[in-house]
Amino acid sequence: MWRVTDSTRAVGGDRLCALMVLGVISLILILGSLAESRVYSELGKIEYPAINCRKHSASLKDFGGVGDGKTSNTKIFQSAISKLSQYASDGGATLIVPPGKWLTGPFNLTSHFTLFLQKDAIILASQEEMIPMEGQNGTIDGQGSYWWNKFHKKQLSLTRPFMIEIMYSDQIQISDLTLVNSPNWFVHPVYSSNIIVKGLTILAPVDSPNTDGINPDSCTNTRIEDCYIVSGDDCIAAKSGWDEYGIKFGKPTQHLVIRRVTCISPDSAMVALGSEMSGGIDDVRVEDLTAINTESAVRIKTAVGRGGFVKNIFVRGLNLNTMKYVFWTTGSYGAHPDPNYDPKALPIVTGINFKDVVAKNVTISAQLEGISKDPFTGICISNVTIEVNELKKKKLQWNCTDVAGATNNVTPPPCALLPQKDKTDCAFPDDKLPIEAVQFKTCLHQRILDLHTDLHQRVSDLPLVVAPDVFQPLKHFEWDHLLLEEEAVADGAVNGERRSCYGWSREWWKKKLQTLQRQRQCEVLAASLKTVGLVVGRWRKEEGKGISRKKKKEGKEV
């Protein structure tokens, strides 16, 4: 999987890391996002929404990548990212992963960098490398069954890798990806801030172990929206460290927005808060979510020894269908990392608000369990309608211990610890968090034609452009570079075909590109044009200048 770190700074340092992992589907809205992404195949133009646009770009094929699903591209990714990272201080860089199946082991991304997967690009995790890996829309396939089988057989000596892990970073965008079959959690931003996760499709078998969808961990200002998640564990889980380690580090997850997400997870929660919450979870805003065939909606998980807090939680607009529980809190959740936890470290759970919930085909309306002598307080539930499955329903629909709060307009009637209080309307903030105000720019990337595949397919279809006798950069073009072989001019040109500016036909280029590995290479020119067409210039070795139209008119070789 891919691990993204800003390894040059310590926690609390002031260096910023801006990362984007993007995908694009031509000419359609992407999974309900408000921006439209387009691909202009004629000249390799790609338009997409992003927090930041990059000045430089290159294709994975430019570095020798092979997208056959068999050849390892680990070193290619590492080399490409290393070289493109040199542009971090000059507008940043984009690495384009073109259509194909790209097998790779783990690699690190870097600051001021965009990994862009085109439609039909699939990143495959290598099963031979015992470290995490990641991917995009295009698709990233973690090939997790290899790991799940070893986990079930207790044959692992290492922790299973996450698909995408982002550490100590700021200004992060992960959008418009399809992620499948992660060995462990899919997306794990940790100790990071200003994160947008948008338009992801996350798919794993519902019986796969620990395949959480998106888990912000000790993160500040996070926005998760417009995602579709099928998971063997929690679709989304907010975390902040485990027992004494989380207490010591003391970095909460706070200012988290989750909206317009659909979840399917028969054995876990749509949104979980915890259980690793020892650094604290504060100011979480959840709205307009849909759960189908899912164990619970928003679940709080904690235990004695966790410490920390869960507070200021605001939930509204849930549409739930086929649920075991609607409301579920647990004060005795599971294991500890080691026996050194502090049994006196009790979590504080308070200010939990639910409103405007509709649930159908439910087994149990609520299982609300706090901690003895440490009750969960300030629970507010209003305007909730729950339709219980008559065949599966439990006699006790609201099971409440060690909790306190109030309810209003809730069906079926809640437990005595949450009494009816008329005119109660549970809170949801009117203000907007800073991350909600972040708007995407429209980035236009005009891709240089790929030397190995695109050039011979497209050069004959481009309009004629007249160049000067001595080849020089023209003022009305934006010039970039392309590697072409340096050799003598070929004999003749195919009559009747549209040609590039010096008369070389598509077939001529195809022939020459096939012999590229046997040729010396020189850096010539190519172009992202502001006006029309493409100019491909060459230098004659013996003359050091371009071939002119004048020579063709004189009957000389072209």
Side-chain angles (χ1 to χ4, degrees), residues 55 80 129 161 179 242 289 309 334 370 375 420 448 487 500 509 535:
K55 182 177 178 181
E129 303 189 49
L179 310 178
W242 201 0
L289 267 59
F309 51 82
Q420 164 80 18
I448 299 171
E487 65 169 7
S500 65
W509 278 110
V535 174

Side-chain angles (χ1 to χ4, degrees), residues 168-340:
Y168 303 114
S169 299
D170 185 67
Q171 297 184 47
I172 298 157
Q173 176 186 340
I174 307 174
S175 66
D176 306 315
L177 301 166
T178 295
L179 310 178
V180 300
N181 298 332
S182 177
N184 203 329
W185 301 349
F186 277 88
V187 179
H188 182 218
V190 57
Y191 312 136
S192 297
S193 58
N194 299 309
I195 304 158
I196 296 178
V197 180
K198 180 181 178 69
L200 299 190
T201 297
I202 296 176
L203 304 173
V206 294
D207 60 352
S208 56
N210 309 114
T211 50
D212 296 42
I214 305 165
N215 289 3
D217 191 346
S218 294
C219 290
T220 298
N221 278 330
T222 303
R223 184 171 117 200
I224 301 170
E225 60 189 10
D226 302 315
C227 295
Y228 178 84
I229 303 171
V230 181
S231 172
D233 210 309
D234 300 323
C235 287
I236 297 172
K239 300 178 181 292
S240 63
W242 201 0
D243 286 6
E244 68 268 26
Y245 305 103
I247 294 171
K248 182 176 181 180
F249 199 78
K251 186 172 179 61
T253 283
Q254 57 188 347
H255 311 316
L256 169 62
V257 175
I258 304 170
R259 58 196 182 193
R260 300 186 302 275
V261 172
T262 296
C263 167
I264 299 175
S265 182
D267 296 320
S268 290
M270 176 173 62
V271 175
L273 306 176
S275 77
E276 305 94 317
M277 38 63 65
S278 301
I281 297 173
D282 184 18
D283 191 5
V284 178
R285 307 177 184 195
V286 178
E287 60 180 327
D288 298 334
L289 267 59
T290 298
I292 303 167
N293 190 22
T294 296
E295 187 174 39
S296 64
V298 178
R299 183 184 182 190
I300 297 173
K301 301 187 288 188
T302 187
V304 171
R306 290 288 195 268
F309 51 82
V310 177
K311 62 182 182 179
N312 300 319
I313 309 301
F314 308 98
V315 180
R316 71 178 177 188
L318 302 186
N319 186 356
L320 313 174
N321 195 327
T322 310
M323 310 289 292
K324 183 176 181 180
Y325 304 99
V326 175
F327 305 107
W328 195 8
T329 66
T330 306
S332 57
Y333 191 87
H336 300 276
D338 56 44
N340 298 322

Side-chain angles (χ1 to χ4, degrees), residues 12-80:
D14 58 3
R15 186 169 181 267
L16 299 182
C17 176
L19 165 76
M20 290 185 287
V21 185
L22 306 175
V24 64
I25 295 181
S26 173
L27 299 177
I28 63 172
L29 295 179
I30 304 212
L31 297 178
S33 71
L34 299 179
E36 188 173 5
S37 299
R38 296 182 176 91
V39 174
Y40 300 90
S41 60
E42 297 88 356
L43 291 177
K45 291 183 180 178
I46 302 172
E47 183 179 299
Y48 59 90
I51 300 173
N52 295 299
C53 301
R54 308 304 184 194
K55 182 177 178 181
H56 305 276
S57 61
S59 168
L60 189 64
K61 287 187 177 181
D62 295 338
F63 299 90
V66 179
D68 60 3
K70 300 177 181 178
T71 304
S72 174
N73 293 279
T74 306
K75 291 183 179 180
I76 301 298
F77 272 106
Q78 292 170 345
S79 174

Side-chain angles (χ1 to χ4, degrees), residues 320-324 326 357-365 384-393 397 410-412:
L320 313 174
N321 195 327
T322 310
M323 310 289 292
K324 183 176 181 180
V326 175
V357 177
V358 175
K360 299 179 180 180
N361 195 22
V362 172
T363 303
I364 302 172
S365 296
V384 173
T385 300
I386 300 172
E387 295 181 7
V388 178
N389 185 316
E390 293 298 325
L391 298 178
K392 296 182 179 180
K393 73 175 184 179
Q397 277 297 302
V410 176
T411 303

